[in-house]
Amino acid sequence: MFKKKVLALTIASLSLIGCSNNNIEIKPEKMAHVGKVTNLSKVTNVILMIGDGMGAPQVGLLEEYARRAKYSTYNNKGNKTALTKLAEAGQVGLSLTAPYGQYGSLVVDSACSATQLATGLAAGSEMIGLDENGNRVQTILEKAKAQGKATGLVSDTRITHATPAAFAAHQAHRSLENEIAEELIESGSVDVLLSGGARHFLPSDIKTDSRAQQLMTDLGATETLYKSSKRKDKRNLIIEAKNQYGYELAFNQQQLGHIEGGKVLGLFANSAMENGIAYSACKKASNCSQPSLREMTLSALEILSQSEKGFFLMIEGGQIDWAGHINDAGWMLHELLKFDEAVNAVYEWVKDRDDTLVVVTADHETGGFGFSYSRKDVPSAKTLTGNGMAGRQYKPNFNFGSLDNLDRLYQQKRTFYDMMSQVSNDNSLSNTKAEQWFEVINQYSDFKVTLAQALSITKREHNEYQQENHTYLSANEFPKVNDFKEFYVYGDDVHGNLIGRALSAEQNVVWGTGTHTASPVPVYVFGPESLAKQFSTMQHHTEIAQKMMKALFDD
Ligand code: MG
Ligand code: ZN
């Protein structure tokens, strides 16, 4: 009798259960068979997506572009980003990212942040997969593997770069990318590895060893891919991965598409994969030479979802951060578009499922980016017909930023790095001339610089101008380039930051730094409602890891 009643209830609709007056307890797992259930406390799969450097300001740029740019690439998608679709179907929260613990600090780097997201524990700056005392600790990915789940890491940077590395390697410093490459294939903890970074897997003498080159060609790799190595030894980890550790190899989208399951090492670039601007262009021309972040995501999902015990997958949009570091708003927009495409692939895969938790967040904000209003080019007065104007013209005191700027940012044809290497192909940026920057920037950017602004890009330090005689500047017009110079820490990259400075007023864009800020980052979560809701709060990244682990594991 009792049994019958439970059965009757399990096939009834949820609303009926809510109305029934009996006191029979119904376990959640029984209710799983009743239509769309929303209070599951466990999931089989966790997909974590990290937009590196994608703080709230970056998400704001993507949303403004999608919703309000005249020629938005989202015009045929209801002007809705995948992030917004995820927000509408799930939950949104905020998270603090700083290094926690007794040696904690205020601002986080990607290695520490990814480690905290992977372990739920405080980590030290620039550490990979270690706790704050330097102990190796099991990550969510490793625990998933230990429990028989499939695992995967996908990134559009290098597979050995800090963010993916922190989920499956344990090193005292993020710069140990050769050692990270070894760990990734030797540990057996990752089934699917898709990214760039071949240079850390290839033997040190690949440039001169024609036999090793032929071996790579035979496997389907192009010369661009195996052109150089960063290794100090002659190990070929790609061959080892295939022969000793059972990985299938892929060096292009076609090879990746043919892999049906099992372990996969996909290396699609010698170092970083294609940047977002180049990707937008090759996508438009249908001639991309590498799989996109979206395509890698789809392949990983296809392979990992064959696992009966479920999977853990981390997907990184890693170059949002790089664009932020060099203060390149146009490039950053294209990186956000590339990442959102991957988010859409995940959303489409997961939207009708109740066995998967999706968390999309950033490891930190990069650049201290924002649109800002200025006193430059204040729009002229307009007459409005509204009855509250009382004869007064509409004339705001400042330039609050034209929406046209969104399309113009999208129009940028090269990254600042590309511009820098075009101006100086011999790497001596300190000897460049204003005219060179003037020509290159104005060729590739819809926002233009003057010759005086171009001059401000030629020198890293203000005092370097004193030694030169510039006829078109008076003495007090020497550019004040490095007002925040302690925050521009990457050597010659500062020339790129100075391009950002030169374009900033035209773009209504400001940047606070060439590094990271500690502003809280958005967290988008989709999954069973009772689980997803736990993220809709102000939390810290270690707690995000703990919540994901609690949802994925029984103990
Ligand atoms: Mg990263
Ligand atoms: Zn960074």
Side-chain angles (χ1 to χ4, degrees):
M1 178 63 197
F2 176 76
K3 247 184 179 171
K4 253 186 181 171
K5 212 165 185 178
V6 172
L7 187 71
L9 276 168
T10 53
I11 55 172
S13 78
L14 277 173
S15 58
L16 272 177
I17 295 169
C19 294
S20 74
N21 266 334
N22 63 68
N23 48 13
I24 298 168
E25 264 191 47
I26 298 163
K27 291 183 175 167
E29 55 267 34
K30 289 275 187 217
M31 292 168 64
H33 303 284
V34 188
K36 183 88 181 146
V37 170
T38 51
N39 67 343
L40 298 173
S41 63
K42 296 285 170 195
V43 286
T44 319
N45 316 308
V46 167
I47 302 169
L48 171 62
M49 302 190 74
I50 301 177
D52 198 317
M54 189 185 71
Q58 284 75 16
V59 166
L61 168 63
L62 175 68
E63 292 296 339
E64 292 292 12
Y65 171 78
R67 294 168 191 221
R68 300 205 293 165
K70 193 170 174 193
Y71 301 103
S72 165
T73 52
Y74 290 85
N75 281 348
N76 58 356
K77 299 169 194 161
N79 295 92
K80 206 173 267 191
T81 63
L83 283 175
T84 286
K85 286 196 262 179
L86 209 60
E88 287 175 355
Q91 304 285 335
V92 179
L94 287 169
S95 192
L96 296 159
T97 61
Y100 251 25
Q102 53 181 329
Y103 313 121
S105 29
L106 290 174
V107 189
V108 80
D109 81 293
S110 295
C112 173
S113 190
T115 298
Q116 293 189 149
L117 273 173
T119 65
L121 300 169
S125 294
E126 301 177 354
M127 283 178 175
I128 298 288
L130 306 181
D131 71 14
E132 61 173 331
N133 294 307
N135 298 301
R136 299 166 66 99
V137 279
Q138 192 180 40
T139 68
I140 182 172
L141 180 145
E142 291 165 330
K143 191 163 181 189
K145 178 59 23 192
Q147 297 204 357
K149 292 180 187 290
T151 57
L153 295 173
V154 171
S155 171
D156 58 5
T157 62
R158 297 187 290 274
I159 199 67
T160 51
H161 211 260
T163 310
F167 286 82
H170 307 276
Q171 295 290 338
H173 197 266
R174 55 185 288 171
S175 59
L176 300 166
E177 292 188 58
N178 293 333
E179 289 76 5
I180 289 166
E182 292 161 28
E183 267 196 272
L184 289 178
I185 64 151
E186 289 170 356
S187 70
S189 61
V190 202
D191 299 302
V192 175
L193 293 156
L194 306 177
S195 187
R199 66 186 195 179
H200 299 285
F201 293 79
L202 291 160
S204 56
D205 57 352
I206 187 74
K207 255 187 178 162
T208 51
D209 185 345
S210 56
R211 215 187 119 260
Q213 291 172 4
Q214 189 58 49
L215 206 54
M216 295 309 299
T217 305
D218 294 345
L219 288 167
T222 60
E223 206 186 325
T224 335
L225 197 134
Y226 62 71
K227 65 182 178 187
S228 64
S229 169
K230 287 272 176 185
R231 293 198 65 77
K232 304 277 176 277
D233 57 30
K234 298 203 173 156
R235 287 180 72 177
N236 187 329
L237 297 178
I238 294 171
I239 303 297
E240 286 184 36
K242 179 172 179 279
N243 295 341
Q244 287 165 246
Y245 300 100
Y247 283 92
E248 282 201 65
L249 304 176
F251 301 105
N252 53 53
Q253 171 60 11
Q254 205 188 8
Q255 287 181 316
L256 180 61
H258 284 144
I259 294 171
E260 284 168 1
K263 293 169 76 175
V264 188
L265 174 62
L267 293 172
F268 307 107
N270 183 259
S271 178
M273 291 187 69
E274 208 86 270
N275 70 64
I277 292 181
Y279 171 59
S280 293
C282 81
K283 189 179 138 196
K284 205 175 266 177
S286 304
N287 64 358
C288 294
S289 59
Q290 301 172 355
S292 66
L293 189 60
R294 175 179 171 275
E295 288 168 332
M296 292 192 291
T297 298
L298 288 170
S299 293
L301 286 172
E302 193 185 318
I303 295 164
L304 296 173
S305 60
Q306 294 167 24
S307 158
E308 276 175 23
K309 290 191 171 174
F311 64 85
F312 171 82
L313 170 62
M314 192 290 297
I315 302 152
E316 181 196 25
Q319 299 193 38
I320 303 165
D321 173 69
W322 297 0
H325 275 289
I326 200 141
N327 298 171
D328 186 339
W331 178 18
M332 200 166 74
L333 173 59
H334 283 271
E335 290 301 335
L336 288 158
L337 294 170
K338 192 209 298 174
F339 182 65
D340 197 56
E341 226 182 48
V343 175
N344 199 52
V346 168
Y347 175 73
E348 289 298 324
W349 189 85
V350 83
K351 66 180 182 189
D352 297 319
R353 307 179 71 108
D354 59 11
D355 62 350
T356 304
L357 181 70
V358 180
V359 177
V360 185
T361 189
D363 48 358
H364 50 73
E365 193 275 342
T366 304
F369 165 78
F371 284 119
S372 192
Y373 69 80
S374 75
R375 64 184 180 191
K376 185 180 177 357
D377 301 331
V378 178
S380 47
K382 264 192 198 135
T383 306
L384 300 182
T385 52
N387 64 7
M389 294 307 285
R392 195 185 155 102
Q393 287 211 301
Y394 178 61
K395 192 182 181 317
N397 286 323
F398 305 109
N399 172 358
F400 287 91
S402 164
L403 294 182
D404 292 344
N405 290 6
L406 297 165
D407 284 314
R408 296 181 68 193
L409 285 170
Y410 181 86
Q411 283 307 319
Q412 192 175 312
K413 295 287 183 283
R414 293 280 192 282
T415 69
F416 289 177
Y417 278 116
D418 293 335
M419 296 181 195
M420 286 160 68
S421 45
Q422 188 162 329
V423 163
S424 163
N425 39 28
D426 61 351
N427 276 338
S428 70
L429 283 158
S430 49
N431 293 326
T432 52
K433 299 268 174 291
E435 288 80 359
Q436 294 175 279
W437 294 101
F438 178 84
E439 192 182 317
V440 169
I441 294 165
N442 293 346
Q443 181 184 353
Y444 296 129
S445 166
D446 202 55
F447 301 95
K448 309 298 176 192
V449 292
T450 63
L451 208 51
Q453 284 177 312
L455 177 67
S456 73
I457 300 163
T458 59
K459 295 286 178 276
R460 280 168 62 166
E461 301 283 341
H462 182 202
N463 58 17
E464 290 177 56
Y465 289 96
Q466 313 303 337
Q467 300 133 28
E468 296 185 5
N469 182 25
H470 296 287
T471 49
Y472 46 91
L473 290 181
S474 65
N476 60 3
E477 274 182 326
F478 283 115
K480 288 177 187 151
V481 288
N482 249 339
D483 48 351
F484 273 25
K485 73 176 194 178
E486 304 304 339
F487 297 92
Y488 291 85
V489 299
Y490 297 108
D492 270 343
D493 278 8
V494 76
H495 293 281
N497 296 102
L498 293 171
I499 302 175
R501 283 289 158 117
L503 296 174
S504 63
E506 287 281 322
Q507 297 176 332
N508 283 94
V509 157
V510 292
W511 297 94
T513 181
T515 68
H516 303 164
T517 72
S519 56
V521 297
V523 187
Y524 298 81
V525 184
F526 179 86
E529 196 178 345
S530 61
L531 282 179
K533 265 194 170 155
Q534 297 169 11
F535 295 83
S536 175
T537 182
M538 176 60 87
Q539 61 224 298
H540 182 264
H541 265 20
T542 50
E543 295 170 276
I544 289 186
Q546 291 158 17
K547 290 171 196 175
M548 290 191 300
M549 288 196 243
K550 220 176 149 210
L552 190 58
F553 306 126
D554 286 323
D555 49 73

